[in-house]
């Protein structure tokens, strides 16, 4: 089940470290993008098995990045999970409707993170 | 005589005109003030909403890294360290609950909460609430019962919001009821209104506190001692019930338990 390559998109240093360490401890390889554009480049160049994406990013936001990934046939099939501090009522529905394959509100439960990643990355 | 009358009549007219002008001015000022207040309230609520979002980001690192340590992903921890990790986690959870309540309250205040009104089964909603609280209740030795016999079933309202109120009242009741006590939930119909009550055998609430416990951060002394409440639950419940056009209040005496009651009219505003 493990060993997959996951692209992490996160602009907060500590939260990047957290997700990276948790997923590496669970046996995954990780790639890191700190902006939406970097995420698109890495997704194209490295074709990861899964993308775990923050939504509020410095350049293009997670929703825009998602739609560009989906618009390109080379990246369209990569599952993308939203990992976001936008966690108000209705946000889950909003992100799932936008096409994310999963929604993890911050603060995230690390067991839930590992479960969600495992589900999309086997 | 006629000239005098005409004169005093003209004087009256002038006075009426003057008063009308003054009134119109006062109205305009009032209108302006109310708009200013509305804007201020919107700004305040927007600020709180943004704040809540920004608070989640560091909280993600705090809770996440604590879980990493508690799960021993990078090695063992001793008993004392584990205890501290649990303390950090429960404090962080408390902070998260506060953030959620503040956000909810700010949205209600800004008029941003739109009720999704539809008919729903009050009985089922109450049953779900009771099921959710039962684990904590039985852990605390408190018996929770529900009676809706012959009471209303289908009511009109925002089920998610009403569930939130019910769960808040239930968790308060269980929290303040000592082991061996009971919490009784009841639903009846009275004069076309639906009346839901949650009765506990806790310490009761002095009459002087009956109003203020529904204000933000105004807890009773025993409420503040419990420390796990946010002090916002009842304030939020009150707003949500009032949005539905209902009322919420407490009937209680010190030493005699408490009954929290709310009503729902059949036609929410």
């Amino acid at each position: 089940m493990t060993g997959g390559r996951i692209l992490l998109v996160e602009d907060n240093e500590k939260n990047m470290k957290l997700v990276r360490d948790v997923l590496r401890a669970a046996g995954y390889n990780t790639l890191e993008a700190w902006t939406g554009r970097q995420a698109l480049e890495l997704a194209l160049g490295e074709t990861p098995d899964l993308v775990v994406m923050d939504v509020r990013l410095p350049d293009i936001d997670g929703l825009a990045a998602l739609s560009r990934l989906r618009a390109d046939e080379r990246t369209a099939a990569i599952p993308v999970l939203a990992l976001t501090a936008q966690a108000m009522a209705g946000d889950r529905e909003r992100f799932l409707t936008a096409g994310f394959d999963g929604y993890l509100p911050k603060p995230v439960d690390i067991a839930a993170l590992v479960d969600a990643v495992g589900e999309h990355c086997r | 005589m006629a000239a005098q009358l005409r004169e005093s009549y003209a004087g009256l007219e002038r006075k009426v005109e003057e008063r009308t002008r003054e009134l119109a001015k006062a109205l305009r000022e009032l209108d302006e003030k109310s708009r200013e207040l509305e804007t201020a309230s919107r700004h305040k609520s927007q600020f709180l909403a943004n704040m809540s979002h920004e608070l989640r980001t560091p909280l993600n690192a705090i809770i996440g890294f604590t879980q990493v340590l508690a799960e021993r992903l990078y090695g063992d921890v001793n008993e004392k360290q584990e205890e501290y990790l649990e303390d950090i986690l429960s404090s962080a959870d408390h902070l998260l609950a506060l953030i959620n309540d503040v956000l909810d309250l700010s949205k209600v205040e800004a008029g941003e909460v739109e009720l999704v009104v539809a008919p729903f089964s009050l009985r089922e909603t109450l049953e779900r609430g009771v099921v959710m609280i039962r684990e904590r209740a039985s852990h605390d030795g408190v018996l929770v019962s529900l009676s809706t016999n012959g009471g209303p079933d289908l009511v009109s309202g925002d089920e998610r919001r009403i569930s939130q109120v019910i769960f808040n009242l239930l968790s308060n009741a269980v929290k303040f009821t000592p082991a061996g006590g009971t919490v009784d939930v009841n639903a009846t119909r009275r004069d076309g209104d639906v009346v839901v009550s949650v009765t506990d055998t806790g310490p009761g609430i002095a009459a002087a506190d009956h109003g203020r416990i529904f204000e933000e951060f105004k807890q009773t002394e025993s409420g503040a001692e419990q420390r796990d409440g946010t002090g916002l639950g009842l304030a939020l419940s009150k707003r949500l019930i009032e949005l539905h056009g209902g009322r919420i209040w407490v009937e209680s005496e010190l030493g005699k338990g408490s009954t929290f009651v709310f009503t729902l009219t059949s036609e929410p505003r």
Side-chain angles (χ1 to χ4, degrees), chain B residues 156-204:
Chain B
S156 186
D158 188 327
E159 185 184 5
R160 195 174 71 82
R161 295 306 190 169
I162 298 300
S163 296
Q164 197 178 345
V165 173
I166 290 168
F167 187 72
N168 178 250
L169 296 182
L170 281 174
S171 52
N172 279 348
V174 168
K175 193 186 339 180
F176 289 108
T177 301
T182 58
V183 171
D184 294 311
V185 186
N186 190 279
T188 54
R189 205 176 273 278
R190 195 189 297 159
D191 305 332
D193 278 354
V194 176
V195 183
V196 178
S197 64
V198 177
T199 303
D200 65 56
T201 58

Side-chain angles (χ1 to χ4, degrees), chain A residues 1-107:
Chain A
M1 61 158 234
T2 54
R5 279 193 323 146
I6 305 170
L7 171 59
L8 310 177
V9 192
E10 168 70 69
D11 66 330
N12 179 287
E13 195 190 327
K14 296 189 176 64
N15 287 326
M16 176 68 96
K17 188 204 281 185
L18 174 70
V19 180
R20 173 210 301 140
D21 286 359
V22 166
L23 293 181
R24 284 194 181 165
Y28 296 99
N29 297 309
T30 57
L31 301 159
E32 293 170 18
W34 300 79
T35 70
R37 289 211 174 80
Q38 245 182 32
L40 294 176
E41 277 169 33
L42 275 172
L44 258 181
E46 304 280 340
T47 22
D49 300 304
L50 173 72
V51 181
V52 175
M53 182 134 68
D54 186 15
V55 173
R56 203 179 269 193
L57 294 165
D59 48 4
I60 55 171
D61 74 7
L63 286 160
L66 174 75
S67 68
R68 293 207 206 168
L69 286 175
R70 290 290 146 85
D72 189 321
E73 61 180 20
R74 293 166 292 178
T75 53
I78 304 174
V80 185
L81 303 179
L83 175 56
T84 173
Q86 291 182 37
M88 301 197 286
D91 279 338
R92 171 184 299 275
E93 295 71 24
R94 190 159 64 89
F95 288 119
L96 293 179
T97 306
F100 281 102
D101 296 278
Y103 166 80
L104 294 160
K106 288 178 186 170

Side-chain angles (χ1 to χ4, degrees), chain B residues 16-32:
Chain B
V16 168
E17 262 175 41
E18 218 170 273
R19 284 284 184 287
T20 309
R21 266 199 306 274
E22 281 169 14
L23 258 175
K25 186 168 169 251
L27 264 176
R28 268 197 311 275
E29 281 171 2
L30 206 64
D31 206 41
E32 209 171 288

Side-chain angles (χ1 to χ4, degrees), chain B residues 72-92:
Chain B
R72 294 162 169 78
L73 286 190
Y74 289 92
D76 208 7
V77 293
N78 67 34
E79 216 171 284
K80 199 68 188 169
Q81 289 165 337
E82 171 153 37
E83 183 193 321
Y84 289 163
L85 292 174
E86 290 305 321
D87 289 342
I88 297 173
L89 278 179
S90 69
S91 299

Side-chain angles (χ1 to χ4, degrees), chain B:
Chain B
M1 183 70 178
Q4 231 175 353
L5 260 176
R6 261 198 305 277
E7 201 171 294
S8 84
Y9 182 75
L12 261 177
E13 272 206 323
R14 268 198 306 278
K15 266 196 182 134
V16 168
E17 262 175 41
E18 218 170 273
R19 284 284 184 287
T20 309
R21 266 199 306 274
E22 281 169 14
L23 258 175
K25 186 168 169 251
L27 264 176
R28 268 197 311 275
E29 281 171 2
L30 206 64
D31 206 41
E32 209 171 288
K33 274 278 173 292
S34 114
R35 259 200 302 273
E36 276 172 23
L37 277 173
E38 251 175 57
T39 314
S41 154
R42 249 200 315 275
H43 279 215
K44 179 181 138 212
S45 299
Q46 188 57 49
F47 169 77
L48 288 172
N50 276 340
M51 183 75 115
S52 145
H53 176 276
E54 292 311 304
L55 287 170
R56 282 173 180 275
T57 298
L59 206 48
N60 189 56
I62 295 172
I63 291 180
F65 286 124
T66 309
Q67 286 180 342
V68 166
L69 292 175
E71 296 288 321
R72 294 162 169 78
L73 286 190
Y74 289 92
D76 208 7
V77 293
N78 67 34
E79 216 171 284
K80 199 68 188 169
Q81 289 165 337
E82 171 153 37
E83 183 193 321
Y84 289 163
L85 292 174
E86 290 305 321
D87 289 342
I88 297 173
L89 278 179
S90 69
S91 299
D93 282 343
H94 181 85
L95 186 54
L96 182 60
L98 264 172
I99 293 166
N100 287 336
D101 282 357
V102 165
L103 178 62
D104 256 357
L105 207 54
S106 76
K107 285 174 80 179
V108 175
E109 272 183 10
E112 283 171 24
V113 167
E114 278 186 27
L115 297 180
V116 183
V117 176
F120 67 93
S121 164
L122 180 64
R123 189 172 40 77
E124 282 174 21
T125 304
L126 289 170
E127 278 168 3
R128 269 199 297 277
V130 168
V131 166
M132 278 169 72
I133 203 68
R134 204 156 251 160
E135 191 186 328
R136 162 145 195 205
S138 60
H139 175 267
D140 292 358
V142 174
L143 198 66
V144 184
S145 68
L146 169 65
S147 60
T148 54
N149 280 353
D153 188 20
L154 275 193
V155 296
S156 186
D158 188 327
E159 185 184 5
R160 195 174 71 82
R161 295 306 190 169
I162 298 300
S163 296
Q164 197 178 345
V165 173
I166 290 168
F167 187 72
N168 178 250
L169 296 182
L170 281 174
S171 52
N172 279 348
V174 168
K175 193 186 339 180
F176 289 108
T177 301
T182 58
V183 171
D184 294 311
V185 186
N186 190 279
T188 54
R189 205 176 273 278
R190 195 189 297 159
D191 305 332
D193 278 354
V194 176
V195 183
V196 178
S197 64
V198 177
T199 303
D200 65 56
T201 58
I205 299 161
D209 285 334
H210 285 189
R212 66 192 287 281
I213 53 171
F214 290 97
E215 295 168 27
E216 294 88 347
F217 297 117
K218 299 282 171 63
Q219 292 170 295
T220 59
E221 248 173 59
S222 60
E225 273 164 26
Q226 289 272 347
R227 293 195 167 272
D228 60 343
T230 61
L232 291 171
L234 285 176
L236 187 56
S237 295
K238 182 167 190 277
R239 303 294 171 99
L240 291 174
I241 292 299
E242 286 173 353
L243 268 184
H244 279 84
R247 291 196 310 127
I248 185 168
W249 68 93
V250 63
E251 297 164 0
S252 179
E253 264 180 70
L254 270 183
K256 299 200 171 163
S258 306
T259 299
F260 282 84
V261 189
F262 71 84
T263 64
L264 287 175
T265 51
S266 40
E267 286 299 315
R269 277 180 291 178

